Amino acid sequence: MTKEEEQEFIEKIKETIMPYAQNMTEEQIKSLVQTVQNQNQSLPSGFADMLLEQIRFLKYGKES
């Protein structure tokens, strides 16, 4: 992923996911991300882990 693509990805997470994730527990977020990965086999391997890492960083300000 280029720096521009990475920044666009982060902005999309902030716009679409973070308003919900702010009010969710860690377990709820993990479960939701895993469900999305399982229901969308066309997503690249490791996408769920990458997404979860970004959500944690944006929510908590650090990697968990």
Side-chain angles (χ1 to χ4, degrees):
M1 211 183 261
T2 67
K3 289 288 184 188
E4 292 163 347
E5 290 171 330
E6 187 176 320
Q7 187 59 41
E8 186 177 323
F9 179 65
I10 291 169
E11 289 302 317
K12 283 292 183 192
I13 293 171
K14 287 179 183 177
E15 292 172 16
T16 60
I17 298 172
M18 290 312 296
Y20 300 101
Q22 289 296 343
N23 298 312
M24 295 172 74
T25 66
E26 179 78 12
E27 288 304 313
Q28 288 173 319
I29 295 168
K30 283 182 189 178
S31 177
L32 181 61
V33 169
Q34 192 59 50
T35 298
V36 169
Q37 178 74 48
N38 292 341
Q39 291 179 353
N40 295 282
Q41 297 300 319
S42 63
L43 291 174
S45 176
F47 180 81
D49 293 333
M50 179 179 65
L51 179 58
L52 186 57
E53 180 181 321
Q54 288 299 321
I55 292 170
R56 285 178 178 153
F57 184 79
L58 292 168
K59 184 171 180 172
Y60 304 113
K62 63 183 187 310
E63 293 185 37
S64 298

